[in-house]
Each structure stands twice: as C-alpha cells, then as structure tokens.
C-alpha cells in the first residue's frame, strides 16, 4: 500500500477481515493495535532514502500468517533505519507506539533487508496457554 495517512486504516481493515476469516477473533484486538502502531510508524518514519527510483518509493507491506493459535504480523517499509524504543514522558503527544507493541506482542523484532532497501518489523501474538475457564477454583471462609 502507499505510505500515506490512509495506510494504518487500510492495514487495520485487512487485519480485521483476515483474522476474522481465520477464526482468530480472540487475537484480533491485540493484533489490530500492533498492526496500527507498526503501520503508523512505517508511514511516519519509514521513508525511502532519496536515491531510490520513484516506483519503489514510499510503500508499506503488511503480511499476516497464522498457525495453531499464533499470529505473525510483519510490516515492511523502505527505510533501513531500525525502530527505536524510547521512553515517553506523560505529557508527550506521541512516541508510545513501540511501547504498545512491546506490551501487546509476545515477541517482536526488526530486521533490515540485506540490500539496505528497507526493513521488516515482525511481531508475534499467541493465544494464552492456560484458559481461565479451565482452572479449578476453591475457597474457604
């Protein structure tokens, strides 16, 4: 998709449709937040270096994969610069995107393309291994 203000909404719609179609609604909220934050970061910070030909400029790719209750989210942009996780002050307007990704993802990482043409940010979201409904409870008064 084009790297513009519409990219996060397009990525969220794609994620919602795809995960719902796969029957993974229980991972939808976390996945939507991660996709939204990573796509927003790609749109704002994932700019192409000036020497790249026009047809290859300012693109974002979102790839989703799922297997056995695990969703893989990959967001690719044209900048080889790694994402930077930095503390944000309570008064800051922005700067919390990667903190949210770190809080919601079970794992995340970034990797530059070998040719220096961009990077991929990967996040993993897993179903909990223990279902609260399956736990035995007891009480004493």
């Amino acid at each position: 998709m084009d790297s513009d203000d519409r990219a996060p909404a397009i990525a969220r719609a794609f994620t919602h449709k795809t995960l719902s179609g796969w029957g993974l609604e229980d991972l939808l909220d976390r996945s939507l937040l991660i996709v939204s934050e990573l796509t927003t970061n790609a749109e704002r910070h994932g700019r192409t270096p000036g020497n790249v030909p026009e047809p290859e400029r300012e693109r974002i790719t979102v790839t989703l994969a799922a297997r056995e209750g695990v969703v893989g989210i990959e967001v690719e942009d044209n900048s080889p610069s790694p994402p930077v996780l930095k503390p944000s002050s309570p008064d800051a307007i922005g700067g919390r995107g990667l903190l949210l990704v770190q809080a919601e993802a079970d794992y995340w990482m970034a990797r530059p393309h070998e040719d220096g043409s961009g990077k991929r940010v990967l996040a993993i979201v897993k179903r909990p291994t223990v279902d609260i409904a399956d736990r035995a409870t007891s009480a004493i008064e």
Side-chain angles (χ1 to χ4, degrees):
M1 71 191 90
D2 290 331
S3 180
D4 59 28
D5 290 343
R6 296 174 300 161
I10 293 168
R12 284 190 301 272
F14 167 72
T15 301
H16 192 280
K17 180 179 178 182
T18 301
L19 294 187
S20 294
W22 291 343
L24 295 169
E25 289 86 355
D26 58 324
L27 298 177
L28 193 54
D29 288 339
R30 292 172 59 205
S31 298
L32 284 170
L33 179 88
I34 291 166
V35 164
S36 186
E37 293 300 332
L38 293 180
T39 306
T40 298
N41 283 352
E43 187 267 323
R44 289 185 181 164
H45 307 292
R47 299 297 183 196
T48 305
N51 59 353
V52 175
E54 187 63 37
E56 298 175 28
R57 298 186 71 147
E58 312 309 336
R59 301 288 297 167
I60 298 171
T61 302
V62 175
T63 305
L64 302 172
R67 184 172 182 182
E68 298 177 14
V70 176
V71 172
I73 300 164
E74 184 178 85
V75 178
E76 184 176 356
D77 65 44
N78 299 101
S79 172
S81 299
V84 177
L85 183 65
K86 51 188 167 187
S88 178
S89 74
D91 298 334
I93 294 173
R96 293 178 187 85
L98 288 178
L99 291 171
L100 291 169
V101 170
Q102 184 175 25
E104 290 298 328
D106 291 288
Y107 174 80
W108 76 277
M109 64 167 285
R111 182 174 181 184
H113 295 284
E114 289 182 17
D115 65 1
S117 65
K119 69 177 165 299
R120 289 185 175 115
V121 181
L122 171 68
I124 302 294
V125 178
K126 302 186 304 185
R127 284 186 171 141
T129 56
V130 177
D131 186 352
I132 294 174
D134 291 339
R135 291 187 179 181
T137 60
S138 63
I140 188 167
E141 286 187 44

